[in-house]
Amino acid sequence: MMQEEFIDWLKLKNLSPKYVKEMGHYFRKIHTINLRREGLVQGRIDYFLSRNNHSMGRAFIKHYLTFNKRKGLDISGFDIPKQSGRKKVRKPEVLTEKEVKKIIDSMPSYREKVMVLVQYWGALRGKELINIKPNDIDWENNTLTLPESKSGEFAVIPLPDFVVECLHKYLLKAKLRHDKGIFTIGYNRYYKLLRMYSERAIGKKVKTHSLRHSFAYFCIQNGWDIRKLQEMLRHKDISSTQIYAHLDRKKFIQDYRMLYSDPEETEDFQNPEQ
């Protein structure tokens, strides 16, 4: 009953369902026989943090103590853990078109070549690629229809004609079951192959998600609107998409300079009155 109250209280804070679910997991971890016997004491919190001393574990303790304070517990004597805040966001690893082409050329079989091609041009997550089934491909409209891994909804992904043609050639030779992924390979195996052959081709151990990052960067370089890119990447929060807009500083500077490249347009600014 107390766990339900705690979960309902968190939901009122407008936190994400995934975050609330994680907090419920930690609630069950701290509510052991010892807690029920001894009550909430500093030693119980210290023991919990000795096993869960990371940002989510510390966040849970902070929420948990605040929740108990609202229920009448005096928490002034407790040592509330400090949260370090968000770490600096790393810039995603991006590859040039030439680098992606070199990786494709280096792959050992046609299957792996097509996998890299589809993942890049579809901006797919690695596991979305692995789970593509024959019925997910719309040959008339050149699209993929996939269950969105994070939201549970379905997403329609457009693909270029030449990518669909390569998929068709691959499927003509492959012996498939309709309930299995078309590439008949596990995620870990694909991940290792991509790392191995990308290192040979371009000297970088490329991760599967880097192909998705690279396509996003390619779109930004070609003038895509950030909202359009958000839809392509299926980001719920546009802040997840905006990181790609900050990567192309050179284009940003060029676009800025275009603002004053026409002397007639900026004549009034060039000679201010003294």
Side-chain angles (χ1 to χ4, degrees), residues 60-81:
F60 165 75
I61 290 297
K62 202 167 182 179
H63 286 309
Y64 186 68
L65 289 174
T66 305
F67 171 73
N68 278 279
K69 180 182 178 182
R70 291 171 62 88
K71 293 183 71 65
L73 179 70
D74 180 11
I75 65 169
S76 58
F78 286 97
D79 182 17
I80 300 176

Side-chain angles (χ1 to χ4, degrees), residues 228-257:
K228 193 188 297 181
L229 182 59
Q230 180 189 11
E231 185 176 347
M232 181 69 192
L233 297 177
R234 289 152 288 136
H235 286 155
K236 279 194 168 183
D237 190 342
I238 198 168
S239 63
S240 301
T241 317
Q242 285 171 333
I243 188 172
Y244 301 107
H246 299 312
L247 290 176
D248 199 358
R249 300 300 298 172
K250 192 178 290 185
K251 186 174 187 302
F252 167 76
I253 293 168
Q254 288 174 349
D255 289 347
Y256 177 78
R257 285 176 177 160

Side-chain angles (χ1 to χ4, degrees), residues 44 102 111-112 127 168 207 212 229 253:
R44 172 77 349 214
K102 283 182 180 179
R111 177 184 66 179
E112 282 77 37
K127 291 187 178 177
H168 188 253
K207 297 178 181 177
R212 180 172 158 88
L229 182 59
I253 293 168

Side-chain angles (χ1 to χ4, degrees), residues 7 55 70 74 89 104 107 171 195 203 229 248-249 259:
I7 295 298
S55 58
R70 291 171 62 88
D74 180 11
V89 178
I104 291 171
M107 295 306 270
L171 289 173
R195 299 272 282 176
L229 182 59
D248 199 358
R249 300 300 298 172
L259 293 173

